[in-house]
Amino acid sequence: MAANKNSLSMLFMALVLMAVVSELANASSLTVFGGPGCRGGAARYDRCGCSSFSLSGGYQFVYTGQTASMYNQAGCRGVSSFGFNANANGCHSIGWRSIFIQC
């Protein structure tokens, strides 16, 4: 009986871990463009936590349930200057240098 209980506990923990990993895999994302008008090279940021970037020619934020805070300094230093809680985009120059995706 004890082995059966341990097996159920392990199965439950595995299911919880799979749910957490699945949620993190579908994190909201920010694509930043290199040139004005959302042209040129682009980079996508979708990992939880802080990511720094240097491109500034426009952005597209895809909201999948995780909000994000934008910072004007690399490394998410200072005070957040803007936040996302819905899909958004803009093809104009941006001053942000980092994003923190809350997961």
Side-chain angles (χ1 to χ4, degrees), residues 47-67:
R47 74 175 177 87
C48 300
C50 183
S51 297
S52 297
F53 53 87
S54 60
L55 300 177
S56 61
Y59 69 93
Q60 177 182 30
F61 183 78
V62 177
Y63 179 75
T64 60
Q66 298 78 27
T67 59

Side-chain angles (χ1 to χ4, degrees), residues 2-65:
N4 206 9
K5 188 175 183 180
N6 282 342
S7 294
L8 286 175
S9 292
M10 294 285 281
L11 178 61
F12 177 73
M13 288 178 62
L15 290 173
V16 168
L17 180 61
M18 286 177 16
V20 168
V21 169
S22 174
E23 182 64 27
L24 296 180
N26 295 320
S28 297
S29 66
L30 175 74
T31 300
V32 184
F33 298 92
C38 294
R39 289 184 293 238
R44 183 172 185 251
Y45 302 90
D46 60 0
R47 74 175 177 87
C48 300
C50 183
S51 297
S52 297
F53 53 87
S54 60
L55 300 177
S56 61
Y59 69 93
Q60 177 182 30
F61 183 78
V62 177
Y63 179 75
T64 60

